[in-house]
Amino acid sequence: MSTTKWIIDPTHSEVSFKVKHLVISTVTGYFRKFEGSAEVGSEDFNGAKVAFTADIDSIDTNQTDRDNHLKSADFFDAGNHPKLSFEGTLANEGGDYTLKGDLTMRGTTKSIDLSVDFGGVVADPYGQTKAGFEIEGKLNRKDFGLSWSAITEAGSVVVSDQVRLILSVQLVKQA
């Protein structure tokens, strides 16, 4: 079966994460530089082979000191591990999509499952064929060696171990 390559349109895509801070609020961060592709053999994207990378140095939480701490050896260790990567397969089971694969951060690879909402395929005004996906999942940051932790004087955890991943992705079909 022949396949078609689709690539992420970074202008119309967003890669974010959310983590609880002090147990009472949520901090949102983004990876501003990323790329990815899908090798697709069906119109509904079932069985698509997906590859994705994000540059750790592009992390943006809207606070420079926090961004620098996240890039440090306490968290992502960007100097030694400049990218995170994912390789997996998209499955459509009766209209419910799941993206299953291996996520690598800080030199540690673990299998994860992400829920996917497939928004469909359309032609844009410039003649390009686009496909849209909303992707969400959760992971434990400590499973990937991001183990920095602190406790406040009152006993609250400064940064939660659980991280929510939220991606809004638009793919462009390649000729």
Side-chain angles (χ1 to χ4, degrees), residues 85-150:
S85 63
F86 175 84
E87 289 188 9
T89 303
L90 184 63
N92 175 6
E93 299 172 8
D96 292 327
Y97 285 81
T98 304
L99 182 56
K100 297 180 180 192
D102 293 328
L103 177 66
T104 302
M105 287 192 300
R106 198 184 162 125
T108 299
T109 302
K110 300 277 184 185
S111 294
I112 64 167
D113 294 354
L114 304 168
S115 62
V116 178
D117 180 20
F118 175 40
V121 177
V122 298
D124 74 7
Y126 307 103
Q128 294 182 313
T129 302
K130 305 272 188 102
F133 300 87
E134 300 294 326
I135 305 164
E136 294 192 21
K138 295 178 183 175
L139 61 85
N140 184 320
R141 65 183 176 87
K142 289 186 175 178
D143 290 346
F144 294 90
L146 283 72
S147 57
W148 182 88
S149 188

Side-chain angles (χ1 to χ4, degrees), residues 33 35 53-56 78 81-85 104-107:
K33 293 182 184 173
E35 57 187 30
T53 61
D55 292 349
I56 301 301
H81 307 282
K83 292 185 182 286
L84 64 79
S85 63
T104 302
M105 287 192 300
R106 198 184 162 125

Side-chain angles (χ1 to χ4, degrees), residues 36-108:
S37 64
E39 293 288 338
V40 181
S42 66
E43 287 187 24
D44 69 353
F45 283 76
N46 187 41
K49 302 296 181 199
V50 176
F52 172 84
T53 61
D55 292 349
I56 301 301
D57 271 337
S58 74
I59 203 163
D60 179 4
T61 63
N62 202 32
Q63 210 285 325
T64 302
D65 289 342
R66 179 174 46 226
D67 295 347
N68 289 336
H69 190 203
L70 289 170
K71 295 174 193 178
S72 78
D74 283 345
F75 287 96
F76 286 100
D77 194 12
N80 291 311
H81 307 282
K83 292 185 182 286
L84 64 79
S85 63
F86 175 84
E87 289 188 9
T89 303
L90 184 63
N92 175 6
E93 299 172 8
D96 292 327
Y97 285 81
T98 304
L99 182 56
K100 297 180 180 192
D102 293 328
L103 177 66
T104 302
M105 287 192 300
R106 198 184 162 125
T108 299

